[in-house]
Amino acid sequence: MTVTRSQIISACSTRNLGNFDGQCLVLAPGAGDNDCGGGAYKYTCPTGVNSQDLEAAEPTQSTGFFVQTAYAGGSNGAECTAGQILQMTITSGGNNEPNPNINPTSLNGNQTIGGRNLRIDNNGAHAFPRIGDMEQQRPKFGGDNYMAANVDVLSGSSNAGSWWWDNTDQTKDEAAEAATWAYEFVAFVQGSGGGQPSCACTFTIDVGWDSNQHPGTAYAYNAGNSVNCGGLQ
């Protein structure tokens, strides 16, 4: 498994998902240099810091990444469980802001991912846990989508592997606001057992955006809570 955060990515999908508010270039099947074949749309999308509009009345940017996993030869992709979980904390003026609601993923409850015992809340009526939250003496994460069954996100899976693109946004109410965003993501694929390997990439994105300043953004790889991960690319 690898996580790309430093280049433009291209992906093929039979889903017509639009251009994600202008963030991606989308070519219909057979159009232009769409070399996907099979009636698929070609998506060209950013990773890293992108889509900045720092002079807007509500200044904004996005921070993207692309997760890709290659399965072992002879794998049955239907027996692999892919997904993503998240803790996050947003502050404004030094005070915690409400988190958005969880997007259910493929696993729930007590799980071991990346060698770490975790607790996953998959209830879409609940807000994402904050950084450092615990439950039943385990770090508590919220489901963050990107399971194979979800047709509303840019993702794909086959017997060869799985992939997905994520592009979280940070928007201030006004330039004078001082705000921060902290995310801990765990992207994973759980094998079917019987000696089949699993993989997980754990990484953080931190954005500090002072009053009337440009934002500072940092990605960091957590090797200690990752397994079979090639890190941030």
Side-chain angles (χ1 to χ4, degrees), residues 61-153:
Q61 70 167 24
S62 295
T63 44
F65 55 91
F66 182 71
V67 178
Q68 191 167 22
T69 305
Y71 296 164
S75 293
N76 179 351
E79 296 181 357
C80 301
T81 303
Q84 187 169 284
I85 55 177
L86 170 65
Q87 289 185 334
M88 63 183 296
T89 300
I90 306 170
T91 69
S92 175
N95 299 312
N96 285 337
E97 290 287 294
N99 278 347
N101 280 6
I102 286 165
N103 298 311
T105 192
S106 52
L107 296 177
N108 190 40
N110 292 341
Q111 303 289 337
T112 301
I113 301 175
R116 181 167 49 155
N117 294 325
L118 307 173
R119 177 78 175 168
I120 301 174
D121 185 347
N122 229 14
N123 189 329
H126 294 170
F128 277 105
R130 289 196 171 100
I131 299 290
D133 278 359
M134 303 285 289
E135 186 170 282
Q136 297 184 8
Q137 298 182 318
R138 295 167 176 249
K140 182 181 179 183
F141 285 77
D144 191 30
N145 216 324
Y146 300 99
M147 54 186 171
N150 194 312
V151 298
D152 297 323
V153 296

Side-chain angles (χ1 to χ4, degrees), residues 23 46-53 60-64 165 167 219:
Q23 294 174 339
T47 65
V49 177
N50 67 88
S51 307
Q52 286 187 325
D53 189 352
T60 186
Q61 70 167 24
S62 295
T63 44
W165 174 74
N167 202 32
Y219 288 65

Side-chain angles (χ1 to χ4, degrees), residues 53-61 91-93 97 170-181 208-215:
D53 189 352
L54 305 182
E55 305 306 321
E58 297 182 353
T60 186
Q61 70 167 24
T91 69
S92 175
E97 290 287 294
Q170 300 87 42
T171 300
K172 299 208 296 183
D173 291 333
E174 59 180 356
E177 181 184 11
T180 66
W181 291 260
W209 203 338
D210 290 339
S211 175
N212 298 309
Q213 301 294 320
H214 286 182

